[in-house]
Short mmCIF file of all heavy atoms in Angstrom, two decimals:
data_model
loop_
_atom_site.label_atom_id
_atom_site.label_comp_id
_atom_site.label_asym_id
_atom_site.label_seq_id
_atom_site.Cartn_x
_atom_site.Cartn_y
_atom_site.Cartn_z
N ALA A 341 67.92 -19.53 -57.86
CA ALA A 341 67.54 -20.85 -58.23
C ALA A 341 66.98 -20.88 -59.65
O ALA A 341 67.26 -21.83 -60.32
CB ALA A 341 66.67 -21.40 -57.16
N VAL A 342 66.13 -19.93 -60.05
CA VAL A 342 65.59 -19.86 -61.38
C VAL A 342 66.61 -19.80 -62.43
O VAL A 342 66.64 -20.52 -63.38
CB VAL A 342 64.66 -18.60 -61.41
CG1 VAL A 342 64.29 -18.36 -62.90
CG2 VAL A 342 63.27 -18.87 -60.64
N LEU A 343 67.61 -18.83 -62.19
CA LEU A 343 68.80 -18.79 -63.06
C LEU A 343 69.52 -20.11 -63.20
O LEU A 343 69.85 -20.55 -64.29
CB LEU A 343 69.65 -17.70 -62.80
CG LEU A 343 69.04 -16.26 -62.92
CD1 LEU A 343 70.13 -15.15 -62.33
CD2 LEU A 343 68.67 -15.91 -64.32
N ALA A 344 69.78 -20.69 -62.09
CA ALA A 344 70.56 -22.02 -62.14
C ALA A 344 69.84 -23.01 -62.75
O ALA A 344 70.42 -23.91 -63.53
CB ALA A 344 70.85 -22.43 -60.56
N SER A 345 68.45 -23.21 -62.65
CA SER A 345 67.68 -24.21 -63.30
C SER A 345 67.67 -23.93 -64.69
O SER A 345 67.74 -24.86 -65.56
CB SER A 345 66.33 -24.23 -62.58
OG SER A 345 65.57 -25.20 -63.36
N ALA A 346 67.38 -22.62 -65.16
CA ALA A 346 67.33 -22.32 -66.57
C ALA A 346 68.64 -22.65 -67.31
O ALA A 346 68.59 -23.03 -68.42
CB ALA A 346 66.90 -20.79 -66.77
N GLU A 347 69.72 -22.35 -66.62
CA GLU A 347 71.05 -22.65 -67.20
C GLU A 347 71.32 -24.11 -67.22
O GLU A 347 71.88 -24.55 -68.27
CB GLU A 347 72.07 -21.92 -66.39
CG GLU A 347 72.30 -20.48 -66.66
CD GLU A 347 72.93 -19.68 -65.71
OE1 GLU A 347 73.80 -20.18 -64.89
OE2 GLU A 347 72.75 -18.45 -65.70
N SER A 348 70.95 -24.93 -66.35
CA SER A 348 71.33 -26.38 -66.17
C SER A 348 70.31 -27.24 -66.77
O SER A 348 70.59 -28.38 -67.23
CB SER A 348 71.58 -26.77 -64.83
OG SER A 348 70.38 -26.74 -64.08
N GLY A 349 68.98 -26.81 -66.90
CA GLY A 349 68.00 -27.58 -67.38
C GLY A 349 67.44 -28.56 -66.29
O GLY A 349 66.65 -29.52 -66.61
N ALA A 350 67.92 -28.41 -65.17
CA ALA A 350 67.69 -29.48 -64.00
C ALA A 350 66.77 -28.79 -62.91
O ALA A 350 66.70 -27.52 -62.89
CB ALA A 350 69.07 -30.02 -63.43
N TRP A 351 66.10 -29.61 -62.15
CA TRP A 351 65.47 -29.22 -61.01
C TRP A 351 66.53 -28.68 -60.02
O TRP A 351 67.62 -29.24 -59.96
CB TRP A 351 64.75 -30.27 -60.27
CG TRP A 351 63.32 -30.54 -60.91
CD1 TRP A 351 63.21 -31.29 -62.02
CD2 TRP A 351 62.11 -30.21 -60.49
NE1 TRP A 351 61.87 -31.27 -62.40
CE2 TRP A 351 61.12 -30.65 -61.45
CE3 TRP A 351 61.57 -29.42 -59.44
CZ2 TRP A 351 59.78 -30.34 -61.27
CZ3 TRP A 351 60.29 -29.16 -59.18
CH2 TRP A 351 59.34 -29.72 -60.22
N VAL A 352 66.21 -27.58 -59.31
CA VAL A 352 67.20 -26.95 -58.36
C VAL A 352 66.49 -26.84 -56.96
O VAL A 352 65.26 -26.36 -56.97
CB VAL A 352 67.55 -25.61 -58.95
CG1 VAL A 352 68.38 -24.80 -57.88
CG2 VAL A 352 68.46 -25.85 -60.14
#
Side-chain angles (χ1 to χ4, degrees):
V342 166
L343 291 175
S345 176
E347 278 161 21
S348 67
W351 281 79
V352 168

